Amino acid sequence: MHSRSPASRTGRPRSAAADAAILAATREALVDLGWSKLTLGDVATRAGVAKTTLYRRWAGKNELVVDAVAELFDALELPDRGSLAADIEGVVLQFAAILALPEAKSGLMAVVAEATRDDALRERVRASVVDRQKRLVLEGRARAQARGELPPEPDPGAAARTADLIFDMVAGAVVHRTLVSGQPVDEEWVRGFTQVLLRGLTAQSTRPVAG
Amino acid sequence: MHSRSPASRTGRPRSAAADAAILAATREALVDLGWSKLTLGDVATRAGVAKTTLYRRWAGKNELVVDAVAELFDALELPDRGSLAADIEGVVLQFAAILALPEAKSGLMAVVAEATRDDALRERVRASVVDRQKRLVLEGRARAQARGELPPEPDPGAAARTADLIFDMVAGAVVHRTLVSGQPVDEEWVRGFTQVLLRGLTAQSTRPVAG
DNA sequence: GGCTTTCGCTACGAGTCGTAGCGTAATGCC
DNA sequence: GGCATTACGCTACGACTCGTAGCGAAAGCC
């Protein structure tokens, strides 16, 4: 999006160290102050840069926090644990661990709330945060279909809709549990969740999913 | 919580009309301005009351918006549609319709974000908004167990955990679909969601749930 | 009428916002 | 080395919002 695709234009280049310091300072301020009391002036002071430098790179608080929080989700991976249930449990626990961080808690939902009235911000969140999570769903699903644990979906449209549905169910449940209910996503909860997701509510809840 | 449980103490009583006007003005301001640009001064002007009156009744923006948004969820009901699947679909569509309102969209998530750092606010959200939704889960579940559609759960502890799980899955998926993915919760999506919730991902997605 | 509480209004200091202006620093090109 | 160009740090600024204090008037109960 930025017009610096060519190797580097003339003039003094932007300091990459400043970028990293600003984003780290933003997360630190999120922990100390939370979203509402976070000010760009304070972030600039913490990062050791001038306030004007912040405004030269980010349009405002929303965009800055999106970038700061997005980095937290870089750690998400999908290790092969042998079964779909184990894969889901592993990824959900990872996701929940990130969401439980105070810098993610206070920043992410606030930005999502702002994004309901700002299409550009919503797109930024989608590209920086959501798509990175959704990719795990696509990979895990393909892996499970290759294992024969999930029925194949030849129609690409239906496959995309199902992937979106799974993504909203998984991410939504974890986010709701963490931020709205305020309860921990521990192993017991994850087992129950995976059970329902794979077998449904109508199954006996004590029957193991791997059968 | 307020110390006005006795019929009415001495002195001039608070105007109930002012309360209603303020909450309505808050929702109106949420639609026009969104959470971040909403100011209590503006709400007071819209409601035709003095700014000081607002501060006498609510501690701040957070508490005011919680009360304003909570009223939107009064309309939630659980009509008996004959089967668990139909009950779920009906309630989810109701919930989604409320969440799609701009005053709910912009306000609810912002308040939840703030509640991650404010235990009193979290409790207020729980009592005003969340419990009202969770009650529907409890009723619907009991009804389905009476019908024989869900296995009974004799252990009260396990029953409570399962109810919490269902609630986080239902509400979380709808909220995530609406606010994060930014996609509509239409009948097609609700059918797919109910299918997965009741039968699980491993079931053939085209097989009807009612068998 | 007297007591108590609420209401509308005005005014205020404190804090934040986002920007403008200026001199300096760092790079690419010649 | 010199020049153009861009980024940086710093200061200052008007505009806005916040939450509160103080006042006189209004609306109830005894």
Side-chain angles (χ1 to χ4, degrees):
Chain A
M1 200 64 82
H2 297 53
S3 57
R4 40 175 161 142
S5 18
S8 65
R9 293 180 305 177
T10 175
R12 175 178 177 174
R14 288 189 172 175
S15 161
D19 260 78
I22 291 170
L23 293 176
T26 303
R27 288 188 289 270
E28 185 185 313
L30 277 175
V31 175
D32 291 349
L33 308 172
W35 162 268
S36 60
K37 294 183 180 174
L38 179 147
T39 68
L40 294 197
D42 181 75
V43 170
T45 303
R46 288 172 187 263
V49 302
K51 191 172 63 163
T52 43
T53 298
L54 272 172
Y55 281 101
R56 286 190 188 103
R57 306 191 183 195
W58 285 277
K61 194 166 148 175
N62 293 334
E63 290 77 8
L64 174 63
V65 171
V66 171
D67 287 4
V69 173
E71 288 189 339
L72 297 173
F73 292 92
D74 284 344
L76 276 180
E77 291 177 359
L78 183 63
D80 193 328
R81 298 189 168 202
S83 76
L84 175 56
D87 285 357
I88 291 175
E89 291 177 6
V91 126
V92 164
L93 283 174
Q94 280 185 68
F95 185 50
I98 296 174
L99 267 187
L101 297 173
E103 57 267 40
K105 262 182 172 165
S106 35
L108 193 58
M109 278 300 99
V111 166
V112 167
E114 289 301 307
T116 60
R117 314 197 85 249
D118 183 338
D119 289 337
L121 184 62
R122 171 192 297 276
E123 177 59 23
R124 195 186 189 98
V125 172
R126 195 194 58 74
S128 303
V129 181
V130 176
D131 276 359
R132 206 165 307 186
Q133 301 165 10
K134 191 179 284 187
R135 195 166 35 81
L136 300 182
V137 171
L138 297 175
E139 292 180 15
R141 186 150 181 260
R143 192 183 288 170
Q145 287 174 335
R147 287 198 196 102
E149 294 177 297
L150 286 181
E153 191 99 52
D155 178 18
R161 281 195 299 274
T162 305
D164 286 349
L165 172 62
I166 297 173
F167 175 61
D168 284 326
M169 287 185 72
V170 175
V174 175
V175 168
H176 200 275
R177 168 87 175 172
T178 304
L179 300 185
V180 178
S181 298
Q183 300 287 326
V185 174
D186 51 19
E187 293 200 7
E188 180 187 5
W189 186 88
V190 171
R191 274 195 294 271
F193 169 75
T194 305
Q195 180 85 15
V196 172
L197 184 66
L198 294 182
R199 308 285 299 222
L201 281 175
T202 53
Q204 291 291 337
S205 61
T206 51
R207 186 170 56 188
V209 66
Chain B
M1 200 66 79
H2 297 53
S3 57
R4 37 173 163 143
S5 20
S8 65
R9 292 179 306 178
T10 172
R12 175 176 178 176
R14 288 192 171 174
S15 163
D19 260 78
I22 290 170
L23 293 176
T26 303
R27 289 187 289 269
E28 185 185 313
L30 276 176
V31 175
D32 291 349
L33 308 172
W35 162 266
S36 59
K37 294 183 181 175
L38 179 147
T39 69
L40 293 196
D42 181 74
V43 170
T45 304
R46 288 172 188 264
V49 303
K51 190 172 62 162
T52 44
T53 299
L54 271 172
Y55 281 100
R56 286 190 190 101
R57 306 190 184 196
W58 286 277
K61 192 164 146 177
N62 293 333
E63 290 77 7
L64 173 62
V65 170
V66 171
D67 288 3
V69 172
E71 288 188 339
L72 296 173
F73 293 91
D74 285 343
L76 277 180
E77 292 178 357
L78 183 64
D80 194 328
R81 297 191 168 203
S83 76
L84 174 56
D87 285 358
I88 292 175
E89 292 176 6
V91 127
V92 164
L93 284 174
Q94 280 185 70
F95 185 51
I98 296 174
L99 267 187
L101 297 173
E103 57 267 40
K105 263 182 172 166
S106 35
L108 192 57
M109 278 299 100
V111 167
V112 168
E114 289 301 307
T116 60
R117 315 198 87 250
D118 183 339
D119 289 338
L121 183 61
R122 170 194 298 277
E123 177 58 24
R124 195 186 189 98
V125 172
R126 194 194 59 75
S128 303
V129 180
V130 175
D131 277 358
R132 205 165 307 185
Q133 302 163 12
K134 191 179 283 189
R135 196 169 32 82
L136 300 183
V137 170
L138 298 174
E139 291 180 16
R141 186 150 181 258
R143 192 183 289 171
Q145 286 173 337
R147 287 199 197 101
E149 294 176 295
L150 286 181
E153 190 102 49
D155 177 19
R161 281 194 300 274
T162 305
D164 286 349
L165 172 62
I166 297 173
F167 174 61
D168 284 326
M169 287 185 72
V170 174
V174 175
V175 168
H176 200 275
R177 168 85 175 173
T178 303
L179 300 186
V180 179
S181 298
Q183 301 286 325
V185 174
D186 50 20
E187 295 200 4
E188 179 187 5
W189 186 88
V190 172
R191 273 195 295 271
F193 168 75
T194 306
Q195 179 86 13
V196 172
L197 184 67
L198 293 183
R199 308 286 297 223
L201 281 176
T202 54
Q204 292 291 338
S205 62
T206 50
R207 184 169 57 189
V209 66

